[in-house]
Amino acid sequence: LLIARSDVRQELQWRFRSIMVDEFQDTNRLQCELVDLLATGELFFVGDEFQSIYRFRHADVDVFRERRDESGEVLSLSENYRSRPEVLTVVNHVFRTEFGERFAPLEPAGRFSGPEFGPAVEINVVDKDAVRERGEDWRRAEARALARRIDELVQLGACTPGEVAVLLAAGTGADEFETALRERGLETYRAVGRGYYEQQQVVDILYYLRLLQNRYDDEALLTVLASPLVGVSNDA
């Protein structure tokens, strides 16, 4: 439609004299062509090649690199307002080691009230090759190592279990981490992964919705009565 009907194309071009495309590192060549067809004036691209993660959607980071190299004006957004300097120091060290001179170090620009902290990052590494040679699953070994360290911190009084959050690259590995933590007596609340809908609090809400839909659903009624939503004891 954009290509075949010139009147529509002209109308759209008039509307989009200035265009900004965010997360440009995750675009592909076809999407880039569509943007070029719409743009008649200023065209801004914002992106970071190190954050390109959508290859499964045919994203091509080379498109971003080519446009960046062709552009006469490139503004590096290296100031970080979110993280403390202690965190950025570690991030810069790790990523510069991994990516070399291609990586532009992040500069702390945020202002944080409160006392200065000591070491803000602790890196625990699992040797995948060594674990595999022992015939173990590396993800399970990683989960156990993390659970052991969290348990140590809790025992030392450095934190309580409720003050610990585990962020995962993918929710599919949540089972291993949850199992490892619970083996050490650390209760968990999960917000990701296939087991999310099996969490008791989620089950309670689902039964509550079932009861709203059908008040004669005895199974849903009993579940809601026994849940914290009502709090009736089993004897009652």
Side-chain angles (χ1 to χ4, degrees):
L1 178 64
L2 295 177
I3 297 173
R5 291 188 54 185
S6 59
D7 58 330
V8 175
R9 179 178 170 182
Q10 289 174 358
E11 174 69 15
L12 289 173
Q13 286 179 331
W14 182 85
R15 292 173 182 269
F16 297 103
R17 291 187 182 278
S18 295
I19 294 180
M20 185 185 78
V21 182
D22 197 11
E23 305 292 355
F24 188 63
Q25 76 278 352
D26 288 320
T27 57
N28 55 48
R29 296 192 183 279
L30 177 59
Q31 292 170 327
C32 194
E33 290 177 12
L34 291 174
V35 172
D36 288 336
L37 288 172
L38 292 174
T40 58
E42 297 289 347
L43 188 56
F44 303 91
F45 295 116
V46 182
D48 178 3
E49 65 176 298
F50 300 115
Q51 296 187 45
S52 182
I53 59 175
Y54 289 109
R55 184 178 297 175
F56 66 93
R57 289 197 333 208
H58 308 293
D60 185 356
V61 71
D62 286 336
V63 173
F64 170 83
R65 292 171 179 153
E66 291 169 5
R67 281 301 180 101
R68 181 187 58 193
D69 295 340
E70 294 170 359
S71 176
E73 295 183 70
V74 177
L75 177 63
S76 177
L77 303 177
S78 59
E79 292 186 330
N80 184 295
Y81 290 86
R82 295 180 176 180
S83 303
R84 288 182 174 272
E86 303 94 328
V87 175
L88 294 181
T89 298
V90 178
V91 170
N92 287 335
H93 173 74
V94 172
F95 281 87
R96 175 170 283 173
T97 301
E98 179 69 22
F99 296 113
E101 295 302 320
R102 291 188 300 145
F103 176 73
L106 300 173
E107 302 171 6
R111 299 293 179 264
F112 300 93
S113 60
E116 290 286 334
F117 288 97
V121 177
E122 177 180 311
I123 300 178
N124 295 279
V125 180
V126 172
D127 188 333
K128 291 184 180 180
D129 293 333
V131 170
R132 286 166 176 161
E133 288 176 0
R134 296 199 302 265
E136 299 180 25
D137 179 75
W138 71 268
R139 179 69 74 186
R140 188 170 303 158
E142 183 181 57
R144 288 175 177 171
L146 178 65
R148 181 171 61 251
R149 181 56 181 147
I150 293 175
D151 192 24
E152 291 173 354
L153 293 172
V154 172
Q155 297 300 325
L156 290 171
C159 62
T160 64
E163 295 173 323
V164 178
V166 179
L167 307 181
L168 304 173
T172 53
D175 288 344
E176 297 290 354
F177 287 89
E178 187 170 42
T179 299
L181 289 166
R182 290 188 171 182
E183 285 176 349
R184 291 185 168 271
L186 300 170
E187 290 299 320
T188 61
Y189 167 74
R190 187 201 294 195
V192 297
R194 290 187 295 269
Y196 173 75
Y197 289 98
E198 298 173 5
Q199 299 290 305
Q200 188 58 56
Q201 58 269 34
V202 178
V203 172
D204 291 340
I205 294 297
L206 291 177
Y207 273 98
Y208 176 67
L209 295 175
R210 275 179 51 177
L211 186 60
L212 289 179
Q213 184 182 35
N214 179 12
R215 62 178 178 156
Y216 299 108
D217 187 334
D218 290 340
E219 182 182 6
L221 172 62
L222 294 174
T223 301
V224 171
L225 289 176
S227 75
L229 294 170
V230 179
V232 174
S233 68
N234 290 336
D235 290 339

